Amino acid sequence: MQTAIPSKTSTHSDLSTQTYIDLETAYGANNYHPLDVIISEAKGVWVWDTNGNKYLDCLSAYSALNQGHCHPKILQALLHQAQKVTLTSRAFRNDQLGQFHKKLSQISGLSKALPMNSGAEAVETAIKAIRKWAYQVKGVAAHQAEIIVCTNNFGGRTISIISFSTEEQYQDGFGPFTPGFKVIPYGDASALEAAITPNTAAFFLEPIQGEGGIILPPDGFLKQAEQICRQNNVLLVFDEIQTGLGRTGKMFAFEHEGVKPDGITIGKALSGGFYPISAFLSTDEVMGVFNPGDHGSTFGGNPLAAAIGLAALDVILEEELPERAAELGEYMISQLQSIQSPYIQEVRGRGLLIGIELTVNAGGARQFCKALMKKGILAKETRENIIRLAPPLVITKSEVDWVLEQIEQVLA
Ligand SMILES: *Cc1c(COP(=O)(O)O)cnc(C)c1O
């Protein structure tokens, strides 16, 4: 299968792989440790490198490509809108934003949207909304609002977000940090109850921790958290930036437990990989704390982003991507769990967000990712010992079977 389809590139690049690497390294910051594949084209689940080699993308840009690379319908929306008007700023209105807001409300059940660009900005927006709600609605004394978060969280890389990270490296050298966050163990309902004070504004968490290693909380935890939050007048806000928009087999991961959050952050697949688009979605009550001038973004809610976002959401709905993720994910997880390998500690996940945790003696996940790359699969380690598998949700059953074969060969 891997060699069946020839390269899309008619003329291969004349620069060597090493030249691209040297260029990136010489003039770029050293804040990533990429696999040395130079991608120059992509379509659906496949990417091609500058040498014409083809790979199945099992990372999907950390779930930003749920719709697959270069989806034609989203591309059309981009091209069409880019010829009309791309940026108005929110100083003026545009003819795309209202429809986008409405669609976000329809898919989430939350009445109001505040669009931003990167995921981290959506999280920052959530934090600001939560705090202002605490002061204006709950009546917390000025500067006393607390937000409860979990160990092993990931919310992005701004100073305030890393202030509540429990990863040493994410904080190392970047202090001083933003106060107002309390950390409890992920999945621990009694710790949540014990951590709440009259100053607690919100419990903010990922329904499944993606960067943290595909960690699922105990069954029923989200529902318990909802009850505890309701009893204490504390907002429940989910970071669905990685888990949302179909990835885990539902539109949003909180739906697996029938929870109704007060707010969610989304990003990543909100554009199908074409453009940075994120949003904080919430209720009238919480979003109502924002008045003109309180918060904003030059590019947030621009007409190009809104048109792309609308098309990206339509693709998720029309192609029933959550349902595909549920079906193929269940199959893939059970097949992976049946692989006999001395290196596999545990296979876990939900939908097509899957982690293969390796044993401590396996020597780290990165070498296995390199071996997978040689077999035509792009996957990336998360933490030391976990291979994350998160292919585009448009993947077919036979492509899943091919991926499984390669993984079995590498891990056997
Ligand atoms: C990726 C991610 C973010 C940050 O998104 P960026 O677009 O990289 O800023 C926040 N939360 C979660 C759960 C994520 O996976």
Side-chain angles (χ1 to χ4, degrees):
M1 186 155 201
Q2 197 202 339
T3 48
I5 303 174
S7 165
K8 284 177 73 205
T9 31
S10 47
T11 50
H12 295 160
S13 161
D14 36 354
L15 295 187
S16 72
T17 299
Q18 194 55 50
T19 309
Y20 286 110
I21 294 169
D22 292 345
L23 263 172
E24 265 193 32
T25 312
Y27 299 104
N30 189 31
N31 60 329
Y32 274 94
H33 185 26
L35 292 175
D36 285 331
V37 54
I38 317 292
I39 296 167
S40 54
E41 285 192 55
K43 179 131 197 65
V45 299
W46 298 99
V47 303
W48 285 261
D49 71 12
T50 47
N51 299 316
N53 300 312
K54 178 188 167 203
Y55 308 86
L56 200 151
D57 183 355
C58 274
L59 180 64
S60 306
Y62 307 96
S63 297
L65 291 155
N66 289 359
Q67 302 89 336
H69 287 269
C70 300
H71 193 289
K73 179 162 180 173
I74 311 173
L75 176 62
Q76 273 316 308
L78 180 153
L79 293 172
H80 180 73
Q81 186 60 40
Q83 290 171 333
K84 292 177 66 189
V85 58
T86 56
L87 184 61
T88 54
S89 86
R90 298 290 300 276
F92 313 115
R93 299 184 188 273
N94 70 69
D95 66 355
Q96 299 297 309
L97 185 56
Q99 288 300 325
F100 184 44
H101 283 170
K102 185 175 174 190
K103 180 73 78 178
L104 288 169
S105 174
Q106 284 168 344
I107 61 161
S108 68
L110 289 159
S111 54
K112 290 278 200 292
L114 200 166
M116 297 292 284
N117 311 284
S118 68
E121 287 172 299
V123 174
E124 290 277 351
T125 302
I127 293 168
K128 287 172 81 171
I130 288 166
R131 285 182 168 184
K132 201 151 190 161
W133 174 86
Y135 303 126
Q136 283 197 354
V137 180
K138 184 165 175 171
V140 173
H143 303 291
Q144 300 303 307
E146 292 168 352
I147 299 175
I148 298 174
V149 297
C150 295
T151 48
N152 204 35
N153 68 74
F154 183 82
R157 301 297 199 152
T158 63
I159 292 292
S160 287
I161 296 171
I162 63 164
S163 295
F164 59 83
S165 175
T166 56
E167 275 297 286
E168 204 180 314
Q169 193 195 354
Y170 295 176
Q171 292 193 333
D172 185 28
F174 298 128
F177 300 111
T178 305
F181 301 98
K182 236 187 203 177
V183 184
I184 63 160
Y186 188 56
D188 187 338
S190 42
L192 172 62
E193 235 167 346
I196 290 174
T197 74
N199 291 335
T200 305
F203 182 35
F204 176 67
L205 73 159
E206 300 148 87
I208 296 174
Q209 292 183 330
E211 297 311 297
I214 324 298
I215 309 291
L216 288 83
D219 281 343
F221 173 68
L222 303 184
K223 197 77 202 165
Q224 274 177 297
E226 182 187 41
Q227 280 158 3
I228 294 167
C229 287
R230 296 286 165 268
Q231 282 158 9
N232 292 280
N233 194 21
V234 165
L235 300 176
L236 177 64
V237 180
F238 289 119
D239 184 344
E240 290 266 9
I241 290 169
Q242 186 159 161
T243 50
L245 305 177
R247 173 55 57 188
T248 70
K250 300 270 188 197
M251 183 60 87
F252 298 105
F254 65 75
E255 292 172 30
H256 289 288
E257 292 196 8
V259 173
K260 280 183 106 35
D262 300 288
I264 59 175
T265 52
I266 56 173
K268 294 205 162 103
L270 190 47
S271 75
F274 281 88
Y275 200 85
I277 309 176
S278 68
F280 173 56
L281 311 181
S282 194
T283 57
D284 287 341
E285 178 180 298
V286 174
M287 212 63 101
V289 302
F290 284 122
N291 291 307
D294 284 350
H295 187 55
S297 162
T298 302
F299 278 81
N302 74 67
L304 183 59
I308 292 170
L310 255 178
L313 292 173
D314 279 340
V315 168
I316 294 171
L317 294 167
E318 284 162 12
E319 300 189 12
E320 301 183 338
L321 297 185
E323 292 79 3
R324 287 185 70 87
E327 198 180 309
L328 291 171
E330 194 177 333
Y331 172 70
M332 198 166 175
I333 290 168
S334 70
Q335 293 298 109
L336 287 167
Q337 283 170 339
S338 71
I339 292 178
Q340 296 297 317
S341 163
Y343 305 117
I344 297 179
Q345 176 76 35
E346 187 189 30
V347 175
R348 56 176 178 258
R350 185 157 286 157
L352 282 169
L353 184 60
I354 302 171
I356 305 176
E357 180 160 356
L358 305 178
T359 60
V360 279
N361 300 325
R366 190 175 173 88
Q367 53 164 332
F368 292 96
C369 292
K370 284 183 176 167
L372 284 170
M373 188 175 125
K374 288 211 177 77
K375 292 197 164 286
I377 290 175
L378 293 184
K380 187 74 167 67
E381 76 273 14
T382 181
R383 300 289 192 253
E384 271 298 289
N385 278 323
I386 297 152
I387 305 172
R388 167 176 24 202
L389 296 173
L393 308 183
V394 295
I395 192 169
T396 63
K397 167 100 172 2
S398 62
E399 286 163 344
V400 167
D401 281 326
W402 180 78
V403 168
L404 288 166
E405 265 169 52
Q406 313 313 307
I407 291 173
E408 181 151 22
Q409 284 174 29
V410 164
L411 286 172

